[in-house]
Amino acid sequence: MNFAAQFLYSKKLSSTDSTQQCDREEDYDPFWSSCVQRLLPDKTEDGSKKQDSQKQLGHKNGPSQCEKVKPHPLTINPERLKDFVEEDYLNGDLTRGEKKCLSPEEQYKGTYEGVAPKRKESNVRPKNDFLRFEDISEAAFKIQNGIQKTPCMFSRMSKQYGVDVYLKKEYLQYTGSVKERGVLYLLTTLSQDQQRKGVIVATDSNFSMAMAFHASELHIPVFVIMSAGTSLGRVRMCRDYGAMVVLFGPTARDAQSHARRLAQENGYLYMEEEDSAGYLAGLGTVGLEIYEQVPNLDAVIFPAGGHCGLLAGSAAALKYLNPKMKVIGVECEKFPIVQQSLKVGHCSTEYDSITHPLYGELGGPSFGTNTLKLSKKLIDQMILVREEDVLLSMLRLLECERVTADAEGAMGLAALIADKLPELKGKRVAVVVCSANLPLPLFRHCIDKALVLDHRVCKFSVVLSDFPGDITKLLEVLGHEEARVLDLQKEHIFLSTDLFTLEVTCLVETRDRSHTTQLKDILAEKYTSLKWNGQI
């Protein structure tokens, strides 16, 4: 309103002298005068009388130059003055800028220069360009009601390996995998439109089961496309979690192509295990929990391989909280994806098209440029272990911890079993057991092989005469040595020996390697035809 009044008043005085117009605009405000007339009528009368007397004295242009005019009160709300203060947020600290009050001559010359804001030196540690600690903390807050805060407990295997081992039991998540953390955080960041349309995945890994469960819990339509060779148990579990499962094509590539086509045609959001900041931040919450649950740790061992998002995300959290803590990754020497990538400086694509029955899908988008950068910057050591060590690790976890861990979950402990980290003797080490979702037939096969590698199951054959009592004598020797007979077979047709002879093959179980050596020596003394097919 004040602006409109001034505008109309200036139009009225457009024909007057420029000097007179300038003086009147500077000393007289019609809007302010109207307010004064309403509130202070006495003062307005005095003012009019004063102006009449000035006219009589010949001062047509207002007061004389030597007479000082008192300024009118400002009509600006004091609260608006805060808008003229510069405010910057630097590392969480509020700093205010300062401005100089300059004379009109300096303003006319254009010599005004603002004083730079005073910045406080930050004592915050340097942050990662891609994945910040704040991102991991935010993920931990958002998923805290949707996942289990798994324990990190002292293991009874510590005395056996001379290391204080603490097992982070991520297999206790609802779907048996740590990947629930990354999946849940990804789903919470989706827009409402994407949640309404639904998501679609094309894999038979732990990622698909985590997606099926948490998407159903959030009432998001979820579709899982699997190849025809997927185990029936995994198909049934995904359906029980609430996903629509479709079997398509003989290979995983065919299932992925079909899923992308369905996503394009129906508007679904195609999701896969990738190295995005959101997914890695969700997995990195494991590092936060380990740091909180076990104080004064010297090292943390993670599984690596093709899906090393857990390693990279958790390393970002642990190195921020304690830069002196060692972060170690472990992968199988048959598929050294991470180690090769670190050597050549880019992601290795040699194993991208391989789907291993024990290790699952190797490489792919889950190990990308972002994960490689984090691994190169934050990981202290990469260890390669044999497949035999992984199987023995699965056996130790089953016997000592009652854990049916898969190969990925047992990878970290394999480094201690293979004695690849002698510098950790007597120190406090956390080992992440990230998953336990191996199909039962394959798990049984792995345990049988591990018993052979542990020298606790052996096989031998001897040639006996085909007369009553000879097999009984053999069984008496085995019973005396406390060896358990698992299987016994006879063969007498396809032998090149005498007519009345037979070959007896026995599969026996022993206590340990020393017991197996003792049994072999005793049998070699009694039977010269002994053929030992087991390992010593």
Side-chain angles (χ1 to χ4, degrees), residues 458-470:
C458 53
K459 181 181 179 181
F460 67 89
S461 61
V462 294
V463 177
L464 305 176
S465 60
D466 193 8
F467 292 104
D470 284 0

PDB file of all heavy atoms in Angstrom, residues 458-470:
ATOM      1  N   CYS A 458      37.235 -92.367   5.334  1.00  0.00           N
ATOM      2  CA  CYS A 458      38.217 -92.929   4.414  1.00  0.00           C
ATOM      3  C   CYS A 458      37.653 -94.194   3.772  1.00  0.00           C
ATOM      4  O   CYS A 458      36.701 -94.797   4.270  1.00  0.00           O
ATOM      5  CB  CYS A 458      39.541 -93.216   5.112  1.00  0.00           C
ATOM      6  SG  CYS A 458      39.368 -94.241   6.591  1.00  0.00           S
ATOM      7  N   LYS A 459      38.299 -94.563   2.698  1.00  0.00           N
ATOM      8  CA  LYS A 459      37.844 -95.711   1.913  1.00  0.00           C
ATOM      9  C   LYS A 459      39.052 -96.585   1.592  1.00  0.00           C
ATOM     10  O   LYS A 459      40.100 -96.072   1.195  1.00  0.00           O
ATOM     11  CB  LYS A 459      37.171 -95.212   0.627  1.00  0.00           C
ATOM     12  CG  LYS A 459      36.637 -96.294  -0.280  1.00  0.00           C
ATOM     13  CD  LYS A 459      36.028 -95.657  -1.523  1.00  0.00           C
ATOM     14  CE  LYS A 459      35.503 -96.714  -2.474  1.00  0.00           C
ATOM     15  NZ  LYS A 459      34.917 -96.095  -3.699  1.00  0.00           N
ATOM     16  N   PHE A 460      38.897 -97.901   1.749  1.00  0.00           N
ATOM     17  CA  PHE A 460      39.975 -98.844   1.429  1.00  0.00           C
ATOM     18  C   PHE A 460      39.357-100.132   0.887  1.00  0.00           C
ATOM     19  O   PHE A 460      38.151-100.381   1.042  1.00  0.00           O
ATOM     20  CB  PHE A 460      40.837 -99.135   2.666  1.00  0.00           C
ATOM     21  CG  PHE A 460      40.116 -99.896   3.740  1.00  0.00           C
ATOM     22  CD1 PHE A 460      40.093-101.295   3.760  1.00  0.00           C
ATOM     23  CD2 PHE A 460      39.442 -99.223   4.748  1.00  0.00           C
ATOM     24  CE1 PHE A 460      39.422-101.993   4.752  1.00  0.00           C
ATOM     25  CE2 PHE A 460      38.775 -99.911   5.733  1.00  0.00           C
ATOM     26  CZ  PHE A 460      38.745-101.298   5.739  1.00  0.00           C
ATOM     27  N   SER A 461      40.215-100.947   0.247  1.00  0.00           N
ATOM     28  CA  SER A 461      39.788-102.242  -0.290  1.00  0.00           C
ATOM     29  C   SER A 461      40.865-103.271  -0.034  1.00  0.00           C
ATOM     30  O   SER A 461      42.068-102.967  -0.095  1.00  0.00           O
ATOM     31  CB  SER A 461      39.507-102.133  -1.796  1.00  0.00           C
ATOM     32  OG  SER A 461      40.664-101.753  -2.494  1.00  0.00           O
ATOM     33  N   VAL A 462      40.436-104.511   0.241  1.00  0.00           N
ATOM     34  CA  VAL A 462      41.333-105.660   0.459  1.00  0.00           C
ATOM     35  C   VAL A 462      40.792-106.855  -0.311  1.00  0.00           C
ATOM     36  O   VAL A 462      39.579-106.948  -0.567  1.00  0.00           O
ATOM     37  CB  VAL A 462      41.471-106.004   1.955  1.00  0.00           C
ATOM     38  CG1 VAL A 462      42.170-104.890   2.715  1.00  0.00           C
ATOM     39  CG2 VAL A 462      40.110-106.279   2.573  1.00  0.00           C
ATOM     40  N   VAL A 463      41.690-107.767  -0.682  1.00  0.00           N
ATOM     41  CA  VAL A 463      41.302-108.988  -1.379  1.00  0.00           C
ATOM     42  C   VAL A 463      41.290-110.130  -0.362  1.00  0.00           C
ATOM     43  O   VAL A 463      42.308-110.392   0.302  1.00  0.00           O
ATOM     44  CB  VAL A 463      42.259-109.296  -2.536  1.00  0.00           C
ATOM     45  CG1 VAL A 463      41.877-110.639  -3.209  1.00  0.00           C
ATOM     46  CG2 VAL A 463      42.245-108.171  -3.563  1.00  0.00           C
ATOM     47  N   LEU A 464      40.143-110.808  -0.246  1.00  0.00           N
ATOM     48  CA  LEU A 464      39.953-111.902   0.705  1.00  0.00           C
ATOM     49  C   LEU A 464      39.582-113.179  -0.047  1.00  0.00           C
ATOM     50  O   LEU A 464      39.098-113.143  -1.184  1.00  0.00           O
ATOM     51  CB  LEU A 464      38.848-111.554   1.709  1.00  0.00           C
ATOM     52  CG  LEU A 464      39.009-110.242   2.500  1.00  0.00           C
ATOM     53  CD1 LEU A 464      37.782-110.015   3.354  1.00  0.00           C
ATOM     54  CD2 LEU A 464      40.271-110.263   3.337  1.00  0.00           C
ATOM     55  N   SER A 465      39.784-114.307   0.615  1.00  0.00           N
ATOM     56  CA  SER A 465      39.337-115.583   0.053  1.00  0.00           C
ATOM     57  C   SER A 465      37.826-115.711   0.221  1.00  0.00           C
ATOM     58  O   SER A 465      37.264-115.248   1.223  1.00  0.00           O
ATOM     59  CB  SER A 465      40.049-116.749   0.735  1.00  0.00           C
ATOM     60  OG  SER A 465      39.767-116.746   2.127  1.00  0.00           O
ATOM     61  N   ASP A 466      37.221-116.321  -0.756  1.00  0.00           N
ATOM     62  CA  ASP A 466      35.754-116.413  -0.753  1.00  0.00           C
ATOM     63  C   ASP A 466      35.294-117.596   0.086  1.00  0.00           C
ATOM     64  O   ASP A 466      34.673-118.553  -0.389  1.00  0.00           O
ATOM     65  CB  ASP A 466      35.241-116.543  -2.191  1.00  0.00           C
ATOM     66  CG  ASP A 466      33.727-116.317  -2.282  1.00  0.00           C
ATOM     67  OD1 ASP A 466      33.147-115.906  -1.249  1.00  0.00           O
ATOM     68  OD2 ASP A 466      33.153-116.513  -3.351  1.00  0.00           O
ATOM     69  N   PHE A 467      35.582-117.520   1.393  1.00  0.00           N
ATOM     70  CA  PHE A 467      35.176-118.555   2.332  1.00  0.00           C
ATOM     71  C   PHE A 467      34.508-117.887   3.534  1.00  0.00           C
ATOM     72  O   PHE A 467      34.795-116.719   3.855  1.00  0.00           O
ATOM     73  CB  PHE A 467      36.388-119.381   2.780  1.00  0.00           C
ATOM     74  CG  PHE A 467      36.982-120.225   1.682  1.00  0.00           C
ATOM     75  CD1 PHE A 467      38.162-119.842   1.066  1.00  0.00           C
ATOM     76  CD2 PHE A 467      36.359-121.398   1.279  1.00  0.00           C
ATOM     77  CE1 PHE A 467      38.714-120.614   0.063  1.00  0.00           C
ATOM     78  CE2 PHE A 467      36.913-122.178   0.273  1.00  0.00           C
ATOM     79  CZ  PHE A 467      38.088-121.778  -0.340  1.00  0.00           C
ATOM     80  N   PRO A 468      33.610-118.607   4.213  1.00  0.00           N
ATOM     81  CA  PRO A 468      32.922-118.010   5.371  1.00  0.00           C
ATOM     82  C   PRO A 468      33.902-117.609   6.465  1.00  0.00           C
ATOM     83  O   PRO A 468      34.835-118.350   6.785  1.00  0.00           O
ATOM     84  CB  PRO A 468      31.995-119.135   5.836  1.00  0.00           C
ATOM     85  CG  PRO A 468      31.810-120.007   4.652  1.00  0.00           C
ATOM     86  CD  PRO A 468      33.112-119.968   3.898  1.00  0.00           C
ATOM     87  N   GLY A 469      33.687-116.466   7.014  1.00  0.00           N
ATOM     88  CA  GLY A 469      34.450-115.995   8.165  1.00  0.00           C
ATOM     89  C   GLY A 469      35.495-114.953   7.860  1.00  0.00           C
ATOM     90  O   GLY A 469      35.914-114.222   8.770  1.00  0.00           O
ATOM     91  N   ASP A 470      35.937-114.817   6.591  1.00  0.00           N
ATOM     92  CA  ASP A 470      36.990-113.844   6.304  1.00  0.00           C
ATOM     93  C   ASP A 470      36.478-112.401   6.420  1.00  0.00           C
ATOM     94  O   ASP A 470      37.175-111.519   6.943  1.00  0.00           O
ATOM     95  CB  ASP A 470      37.550-114.085   4.893  1.00  0.00           C
ATOM     96  CG  ASP A 470      38.484-115.294   4.845  1.00  0.00           C
ATOM     97  OD1 ASP A 470      38.678-115.916   5.921  1.00  0.00           O
ATOM     98  OD2 ASP A 470      39.000-115.611   3.766  1.00  0.00           O
TER      99      ASP A 470
END
